[in-house]
Structure formats: structure tokens, C-alpha cells
Amino acid sequence: MAESAQEPVIRIEGLRKSFGSHEVLKNIDFEIMPGEVVTIIGASGSGKSTLLRCLNLLETPDAGHVWFRGEDLAAQHVNVNRLREKIGMVFQGFNLFNNMNVLDNCTLAPVTLKKASKAEAEAEAMRHLEAVGLAEFAKASVTSLSGGQKQRVAIARALCMKPDLMLFDEPTSALDPEIVGEVLSVMRNLADEGMTMAVVTHEMDFAKNVSDKVVFMDQGVIAEMGEPNRLFTNPEHPRTREFLSRYLEDTQGASATA
């Protein structure tokens, strides 16, 4: 859990982003503290993924500031690539190199960007592959893996760069329902270990039970933000209540029949 005396890992102020005439993000302010798990929820098209991609400048904001470890990513003197090495990103579509085996996917960035030795990089990679339950697949072709296995490799690969912050952009949305749990389990373990995380997700149980803070976005703004138990049991904004109504009905129905 975060301590209030600490500085935020990342702080967003006045963030705006448009694509053509469509304003996707409208004056966004929020911060992520060390060790905090922040989930970003909302309907499709609400700006969730764009917000996440602005955190490491995969999308360049039109206005506002993104401070990471106290440095403004938009400042001209900042080496964005160097800072980005400390921000791990896990995508919906895995983004693995299909022409490499699992281990090589995990060691490529540490060797080329951090100048780690091959032996050091492979030892670190095996540690993370062990943690996600895939050590035995180290020499396997990426193309031979299931979707859930690919996503767990993607998480291990990001961890090999020893990031200060992990970003997850709907990491389970491309997976078959029966294998979603194996990826969420890895993410829960990371949260338990104190990894700072920002997660765009439609997995409401994860948002409620793993998050320290939930951000509900609606039409490009943060409509509501707060501690998950409060937000899920007593949402203040009408749009939050509307969005969560089906989830709340499902959980209440399950409780009634238990």
C-alpha cells in the first residue's frame, strides 16, 4: 500500500488529447503512489487506453503534464527512452516477437538497452518465467503457446527491465474466458509483492478486490475516483452507478442464491 509521505511514481496534471476533432481526454488529473494498484474502468471509447498510453508517451498529450519520478516527460531535455525503460507495458495483443523463443523475447531488451550480459539477462528472465509458471517453456517457440501463456511471457518480459511502474492495457480482453484467470493470478501476485501498477480492465472482480484505487472514466473525463469498496458499494456519480449496475446485480444475485 502507498504511504502518503512518499512522492507519486507518476502524476498527471491537466492532460488533454484529441484525435482530429474528437477530444478523447479532457483535463485529466490523478496520481499513482508507490506500491499502489490503480484500475481504470469505463465503457469502450471512454478514453481509458489513451490515458494509459499517455503515461509513457506512446500517445503524446496535446496539453498538460506527465511527471514520472518527478521528471516531466514532456520536457525537451528529458530522455524519454531512458525513463520509459522503467515503465513496463503489457498490451492486449501480447506484442511478442514470433521469430524468437520465449527466453530470447525476455532477454532482448535487457541486453540491448541495459547492456546486461547474456548470462545475467537469462538468469533474470528465468527467475521471472519461474514466477509466472513458464520456466519449462523457456526454449519454446512463442507461436506454440496459448494466449494465456503468451500474456504471461509478456508480463515476465516487462519485469526483466526491473520497472518502477507496470502498465496493463486490457491484458485479458483477447483471451478465452477459461484462461483469463491464469493471467489475473500473475497480476495479483505482482500486486501482493508491492509492484506499482495501472491497469485498464473490464475485470470488475479484479478492480474491486486487488485495487487500491479505482478510476471510472466517462466520455474523456474522470467521472469518479476512489477506494474500491466505497466506489463499488456506494458510487456517487449517476454514470458510475449505471456502468456498475450489471456487475452489482450479478454479485447481489449470486449472494442471494448462495
Side-chain angles (χ1 to χ4, degrees), residues 81 85 97 100 104-118 120-122 157 160-161:
N81 289 329
E85 290 176 12
F97 296 105
M100 297 181 181
D104 289 343
N105 263 276
C106 293
T107 59
L108 178 65
V111 169
T112 56
L113 298 177
K114 291 201 163 186
K115 308 304 180 187
S117 72
K118 193 169 189 292
E120 289 171 335
E122 287 188 350
R157 178 181 64 176
C160 285
M161 291 295 286

Side-chain angles (χ1 to χ4, degrees), residues 2-251:
E3 297 179 19
S4 57
Q6 294 176 303
E7 287 295 312
V9 174
I10 206 155
R11 182 161 62 92
I12 309 299
E13 185 177 281
L15 194 70
R16 294 181 178 273
K17 177 65 180 178
S18 296
F19 295 105
S21 60
H22 178 47
E23 191 174 22
V24 180
L25 299 176
K26 307 169 185 176
N27 203 33
I28 300 289
D29 299 308
F30 86 114
E31 61 187 26
I32 302 173
M33 301 300 293
E36 195 171 45
V37 178
V38 176
T39 51
I40 305 169
I41 64 173
S44 296
S46 59
K48 308 183 300 297
S49 290
T50 301
L51 172 58
L52 196 77
R53 291 170 67 85
C54 283
L55 299 187
N56 64 353
L57 297 194
L58 285 179
E59 298 289 354
T60 304
D62 297 327
H65 297 276
V66 179
W67 279 280
F68 175 65
R69 292 295 190 195
E71 292 195 70
D72 188 350
L73 295 187
Q76 289 189 344
H77 70 276
V78 169
N79 184 334
V80 173
N81 289 329
R82 181 180 58 80
L83 285 174
R84 205 182 266 156
E85 290 176 12
K86 303 299 289 180
I87 304 176
M89 181 91 179
V90 177
F91 300 88
Q92 178 179 334
F94 321 130
N95 286 28
L96 298 173
F97 296 105
N98 287 331
N99 61 331
M100 297 181 181
N101 67 27
V102 167
L103 186 61
D104 289 343
N105 263 276
C106 293
T107 59
L108 178 65
V111 169
T112 56
L113 298 177
K114 291 201 163 186
K115 308 304 180 187
S117 72
K118 193 169 189 292
E120 289 171 335
E122 287 188 350
E124 182 78 3
M126 289 304 299
R127 188 169 70 83
H128 292 300
L129 288 171
E130 182 77 42
V132 301
L134 290 174
E136 65 189 278
F137 292 90
K139 296 296 186 179
S141 166
V142 166
T143 56
S144 70
L145 304 180
S146 71
Q149 289 170 331
K150 287 178 182 178
Q151 197 60 293
R152 285 186 282 154
V153 171
I155 293 171
R157 178 181 64 176
L159 292 172
C160 285
M161 291 295 286
K162 302 178 182 177
D164 292 337
L165 171 67
M166 284 284 285
L167 307 179
F168 294 85
D169 189 7
E170 301 197 25
T172 60
S173 63
L175 302 178
D176 292 332
E178 63 268 21
I179 57 177
V180 165
E182 66 187 49
V183 173
L184 293 179
S185 176
V186 169
M187 294 169 64
R188 283 191 183 94
N189 290 340
L190 285 178
D192 290 343
E193 292 165 6
M195 174 60 72
T196 309
M197 299 160 60
V199 184
V200 170
T201 186
H202 290 290
E203 301 292 338
M204 293 299 110
D205 282 340
F206 181 91
K208 182 179 181 183
N209 297 317
V210 182
S211 305
D212 298 298
K213 182 164 63 189
V214 179
V215 174
F216 171 66
M217 293 193 66
D218 182 52
Q219 297 182 358
V221 302
I222 294 177
E224 189 164 354
M225 177 167 53
E227 186 268 333
N229 278 337
R230 198 277 305 161
L231 192 139
F232 275 88
T233 57
N234 188 29
E236 297 173 357
H237 197 283
R239 283 291 294 122
T240 318
R241 288 196 293 272
E242 182 184 343
F243 177 78
L244 292 175
S245 61
R246 180 173 296 177
Y247 170 80
L248 295 172
E249 286 168 7
D250 288 347
T251 53

